[in-house]
Amino acid sequence: MNVSFWLDGREFSLNLTQTKTNDIRVSLGNKTYGVSVEFIGKEEILLNIDGKIHNVMVEANTTSYTVYVNGQCFQIEKKSALQILGPKAGKQRMANVQTSMPGRIVKVLMNEGDEVEEGQAVMILEAMKMQNEIKSPRSGRLGKIGPQAGDSVETGALLFTIN
Amino acid sequence: MAKKFKKILVANRGEIAVRVIRTCREMGIIPVAIYSDVDRTALHVRLADEAYSIGEAKPSASYLNIDKIIGVAKECEAQALHPGYGFLAENPKLVKRCEEEGIVFIGPPSKAMGIMGNKTASRIQMAEAGVPIIPGTLQPIEDEDKLEAEAKKIGFPVILKASAGGGGKGLRLVRSKKELLSSFRLAQSEAESSFDDPSVYIEKYIEEPHHIEVQILADHSGTTVYLGERECSIQRRYQKVLEETPSPFLDEKTRHEMGRVAVKAAAAVDYRNAGTVEFVVDKYKKFYFLEMNTRLQVEHPVTEMVTGIDLVKCQIEIAAGKPLAFRQEDIKPSGHSLQCRIYAEDPDNDFMPSPGKILRLRTPSGGLGVRDDNGVYEGYLVPMDYDPLLSKLVTWGQSRAEAIQRMLRALSEYQIYGIRTTIPLFKRILQHPQFSSGDYNTHFIPNLKKEKDGDSSEDKLVALIAAGVKSYCESKTGLGFRQKQKTSLWKAQGRWQNQDKRRR
């Protein structure tokens, strides 16, 4: 079976072949790995990759996998229709800035239609006693601004768009 | 006359409430918890004997609401109240209310707390008591003509600080006379635009500063002892994330001198109970009083590990009127201890908070010298409303190197899945040569961030393979086979093998 993933803006293609009940041969790039798989729980997997033990956790979402390895968290995107359209479409999607955490909007620093530069703060979100600047991921013109100062937002809520 | 407490109200939440509850239980005292709406199922509630609701999630309605908390204490007939740290722990108003209502406040008297809570008042009092303070003007400079004389008196380099500033904003470093005036004007206009107040004062700039604090205990007869120091220079956003004792930077002579000065500082305000005197120490090992924290500190466990003294137990006994069970010469710290604060924050993304559900939690229990003070459990939803501290992982070793190795081992076993935490950051800090050498100061984390990110290419590869395996298994299950009874062969196999392992 062949699968393609996106991670940190790069595409990775994997080939997976089951060799035994619990064994899979995985090819990635020009390398092949012998992987033995044990499910500890629904999401927790014990991987033995060429003799090395890895305790990982894989959460399956609609368009991505959230993988926890060695205390680190990786967001691995499944290759979706959007990405097949090319990098442009992917970029387009990036212009929707969503919140990765729930919180309260303390202040909106800019107005719809303003020119914004990459890394410029657009609003301030407060969560867990801390105020965090929500910065623009790229330069452009601010389209819609979702929440107003004082609003509570849930994870995944649209904060603003950049055209 | 020593009192006997039957019941203590723990007026806090999270890991510190859990910490206090544990000692109460060991002392045969009934611990009573309070909780806000989002904390109904929090660990401190689950571990308490009694728990009372105090309202909405927002702190002002619950954990900061003195009337409600006093109401609960009276209703449940608690004889004493432990404030933990944060929230109301350093609010003299709560202490006063307790004093009026006949509830013993486990902490210092309101007067000592009041003096130490005020930056200017405490510095004046400390200077009078002969405790060294950072040379500076204290008051804003109004006259540009006086600027140079003041700066000269203090000695370059100096730092210009906005009176209304805080959190590292509105600071300007001046190394020589010729930058002074222009920097002062800039600092004023910055202060004006940032804080709506142009006042600026001068202070001596401390080069390569260390943040080192001394734990003290004072009983009601006024006997005051120090229990060694804690090195707290590993900070992000001017907040501590990793502490250790003893400080690898101090020598024996400075250590005891700081201890004696800390005792003097406490005595000057008739301090009682546990407290911490914070110092800033420059690269020449000259130390200056910064402030006194009139409560139990987050990092108190490292002191407990090397002294074998339960500080919460001491607090409760002192509050009950008992004299200290030991004298200064009885306190002989042994070995080395480290604490890592595991926060629900993303260290790779400017320490953004990461609240959410903890899907899986494995803590490194087992082995000598590992302690995990946490306030969470598997399946717990970390609320967005409070401090993001999940756990304090503490290790002890006979030497510093052993404590570090033990911490790395414990961190490698610590698994928190579902939210991002500071665990990867600690692995990087502890393996950094500058940290192992012990030669670090408060600039460590900001400098670490500038260095190239740690090599995570192997973890990345593992993550990709894991995602591949997951999608392979999903494809085998097929869309029509999602029902629970159709357990995939893979899962059945996994479970079977697991049981087999357990049987062995």
Side-chain angles (χ1 to χ4, degrees):
Chain A
M1 185 181 105
N2 290 310
V3 281
S4 285
F5 296 127
W6 284 81
L7 175 60
D8 296 341
R10 273 186 59 202
E11 190 182 349
F12 294 90
S13 296
L14 283 78
N15 177 279
L16 300 109
T17 318
Q18 190 170 354
T19 52
K20 266 194 238 158
T21 326
N22 280 41
D23 292 354
I24 295 186
R25 198 173 60 229
V26 181
S27 302
L28 174 62
N30 51 9
K31 285 203 176 120
T32 300
Y33 306 90
V35 184
S36 160
V37 183
E38 303 286 347
F39 278 87
I40 306 290
K42 192 168 159 267
E43 278 139 347
E44 199 173 3
I45 310 174
L46 175 63
L47 289 180
N48 183 332
I49 303 173
D50 291 333
K52 261 194 103 172
I53 291 291
H54 302 275
N55 285 286
V56 302
M57 176 102 177
V58 186
E59 238 187 299
N61 319 310
T62 336
T63 60
S64 67
Y65 295 106
T66 309
V67 186
Y68 295 89
V69 181
N70 202 9
Q72 302 219 70
C73 176
F74 297 94
Q75 203 66 34
I76 298 178
E77 305 278 332
K78 296 177 195 176
K79 192 164 172 175
S80 65
L82 218 90
Q83 279 143 344
I84 294 164
L85 286 173
K88 252 195 186 159
K91 247 194 173 171
Q92 205 72 49
R93 206 178 60 96
M94 278 290 289
N96 283 339
V97 177
Q98 294 164 305
T99 167
S100 58
M101 60 181 164
R104 265 174 225 99
I105 302 297
V106 181
K107 212 171 178 183
V108 178
L109 306 164
M110 303 188 84
N111 298 311
E112 291 180 359
D114 284 358
E115 288 291 335
V116 60
E117 278 178 33
E118 186 182 328
Q120 198 177 345
V122 178
M123 51 180 71
I124 295 172
L125 178 95
E126 188 181 79
M128 303 181 117
K129 293 204 319 193
M130 269 176 288
Q131 298 201 348
N132 306 279
E133 290 182 330
I134 306 297
K135 293 168 181 157
S136 174
R138 62 189 184 91
S139 305
R141 191 180 289 276
L142 271 176
K144 190 178 153 19
I145 292 182
Q148 304 285 309
D151 287 357
S152 287
V153 290
E154 288 300 318
T155 305
L158 179 74
L159 296 181
F160 54 88
T161 61
I162 298 152
N163 302 322
Chain B
M1 199 48 222
K3 296 185 189 74
K4 178 101 183 78
F5 299 139
K6 267 173 70 184
K7 227 183 226 188
I8 290 178
L9 181 76
V10 183
N12 215 300
R13 66 175 304 282
E15 70 82 22
I16 194 59
V18 171
R19 165 74 191 87
V20 175
I21 285 169
R22 284 183 171 141
T23 287
C24 286
R25 218 177 263 297
E26 288 173 15
M27 294 176 75
I29 298 166
I30 298 168
V32 182
I34 51 172
Y35 60 94
S36 73
D37 290 349
V38 292
D39 274 345
R40 287 189 304 269
T41 59
L43 190 61
H44 74 279
V45 175
R46 294 178 64 186
L47 290 180
D49 270 28
E50 293 175 29
Y52 297 92
S53 161
I54 46 160
E56 279 172 60
K58 70 169 188 275
S60 59
S62 49
Y63 297 106
L64 289 174
N65 190 320
I66 295 176
D67 286 338
K68 277 189 191 161
I69 291 169
I70 293 288
V72 170
K74 291 181 77 174
E75 199 186 317
C76 76
E77 296 178 339
Q79 291 90 22
L81 179 151
H82 195 298
Y85 55 70
F87 293 123
L88 292 167
E90 290 177 282
N91 189 329
K93 281 189 200 142
L94 174 67
V95 188
K96 279 227 181 72
R97 273 299 293 280
C98 284
E99 287 164 359
E100 285 161 19
E101 305 279 354
I103 298 161
V104 177
F105 178 82
I106 302 172
S110 55
K111 191 168 165 246
M113 185 183 276
I115 296 168
M116 286 307 191
N118 181 309
K119 250 193 148 96
T120 315
S122 66
R123 288 185 62 181
I124 291 167
Q125 185 119 12
M126 289 302 105
E128 280 172 10
V131 172
I133 58 167
I134 301 175
T137 55
L138 285 176
Q139 303 299 332
I141 302 262
E142 272 149 26
D143 193 349
E144 282 185 0
D145 299 334
K146 285 187 186 151
L147 187 66
E148 202 182 307
E150 290 288 354
K152 262 198 181 144
K153 209 162 79 193
I154 294 163
F156 286 101
V158 296
I159 194 150
L160 302 173
K161 288 188 171 178
S163 299
K169 287 192 179 131
L171 302 175
R172 204 160 261 275
L173 171 66
V174 186
R175 291 207 171 271
S176 70
K177 195 179 89 180
K178 65 173 197 276
E179 307 164 41
L180 190 62
L181 189 60
S182 60
S183 293
F184 179 69
R185 285 177 183 157
L186 276 172
Q188 277 188 323
S189 78
E190 258 178 25
E192 169 91 72
S193 67
S194 304
F195 310 108
D196 213 21
D197 174 5
S199 0
V200 167
Y201 65 96
I202 312 187
E203 214 174 71
K204 181 161 185 63
Y205 176 68
I206 307 294
E207 291 180 82
E208 297 173 23
H210 283 253
H211 185 130
I212 300 173
E213 60 188 28
V214 177
Q215 176 71 53
I216 63 110
L217 282 174
D219 67 16
H220 281 279
S221 72
T223 304
T224 307
V225 296
Y226 60 92
L227 287 87
E229 81 284 7
R230 293 183 288 257
E231 168 72 70
C232 309
S233 298
I234 303 281
Q235 306 185 346
R236 61 101 181 73
R237 266 199 227 112
Y238 300 91
Q239 288 176 316
K240 307 160 191 169
V241 292
L242 190 157
E243 297 95 347
E244 65 177 313
T245 187
S247 163
F249 176 69
L250 290 188
D251 52 61
E252 238 7 64
K253 189 173 157 271
T254 317
R255 173 167 297 128
H256 290 295
E257 220 175 285
M258 284 175 75
R260 282 190 291 271
V261 168
V263 167
K264 191 153 80 176
V269 294
D270 292 323
Y271 197 84
R272 298 292 179 266
N273 215 295
T276 295
V277 183
E278 297 199 338
F279 294 98
V280 58
V281 187
D282 70 12
K283 65 175 178 182
Y284 312 105
K285 295 195 175 68
K286 269 193 80 118
F287 59 89
Y288 306 96
F289 172 85
L290 205 57
E291 61 177 343
M292 182 166 185
N293 293 310
T294 55
R295 54 168 162 87
L296 189 67
Q297 295 276 93
V298 182
E299 58 275 23
H300 75 277
V302 293
T303 301
E304 296 185 326
M305 296 296 268
V306 297
T307 57
I309 292 168
D310 179 338
L311 288 170
V312 175
K313 190 176 174 190
C314 290
Q315 282 193 297
I316 294 172
E317 285 178 347
I318 291 170
K322 281 193 193 156
L324 282 172
F326 39 80
R327 286 161 303 171
Q328 188 62 55
E329 55 268 32
D330 301 325
I331 300 160
K332 293 196 177 71
S334 120
H336 199 99
S337 183
L338 298 168
Q339 171 184 282
C340 291
R341 299 189 188 192
I342 300 176
Y343 282 109
E345 283 179 2
D346 184 357
D348 292 328
N349 188 10
D350 256 344
F351 296 98
M352 278 273 222
S354 171
K357 190 169 185 157
I358 296 177
L359 301 174
R360 167 78 65 212
L361 179 70
R362 291 268 160 72
T363 58
S365 52
L368 171 70
V370 177
R371 165 175 173 181
D372 178 44
D373 275 25
N374 78 49
V376 297
Y377 54 87
E378 192 167 300
Y380 176 67
L381 187 72
V382 181
M384 52 170 253
D385 311 85
Y386 309 111
D387 189 90
L389 184 62
L390 301 172
S391 159
K392 299 175 333 200
L393 183 60
V394 183
T395 59
W396 176 90
Q398 291 203 341
S399 65
R400 183 169 187 263
E402 191 179 277
I404 292 175
Q405 283 308 116
R406 191 162 282 155
M407 182 61 85
L408 279 165
R409 185 272 288 176
L411 285 168
S412 75
E413 288 176 24
Y414 214 117
Q415 298 177 347
I416 303 181
Y417 295 147
I419 55 175
R420 286 168 205 255
T421 73
T422 45
I423 289 174
L425 172 78
F426 292 123
K427 292 180 182 169
R428 284 175 60 198
I429 294 173
L430 294 168
Q431 289 172 313
H432 198 283
Q434 201 192 343
F435 184 81
S436 343
S437 74
D439 177 26
Y440 64 85
N441 54 54
T442 52
H443 304 313
F444 185 83
I445 288 188
N447 288 343
L448 186 74
K449 280 172 86 176
K450 281 179 216 145
E451 285 177 25
K452 209 176 146 279
D453 276 4
D455 185 26
S456 63
S457 55
E458 194 192 343
D459 293 337
K460 214 180 218 178
L461 173 72
V462 174
L464 284 164
I465 291 177
V469 165
K470 185 82 179 174
S471 87
Y472 183 85
C473 295
E474 280 173 353
S475 78
K476 292 293 143 190
T477 322
L479 278 172
F481 295 90
R482 281 276 164 94
Q483 291 94 334
K484 281 240 163 79
Q485 63 268 35
K486 290 265 178 194
T487 307
S488 86
L489 206 64
W490 281 70
K491 281 179 195 164
Q493 181 86 6
R495 280 191 204 128
W496 179 79
Q497 294 217 340
N498 228 11
Q499 280 164 2
D500 194 38
K501 256 183 230 155
R502 266 180 231 135
R503 258 183 237 128
R504 267 183 255 154

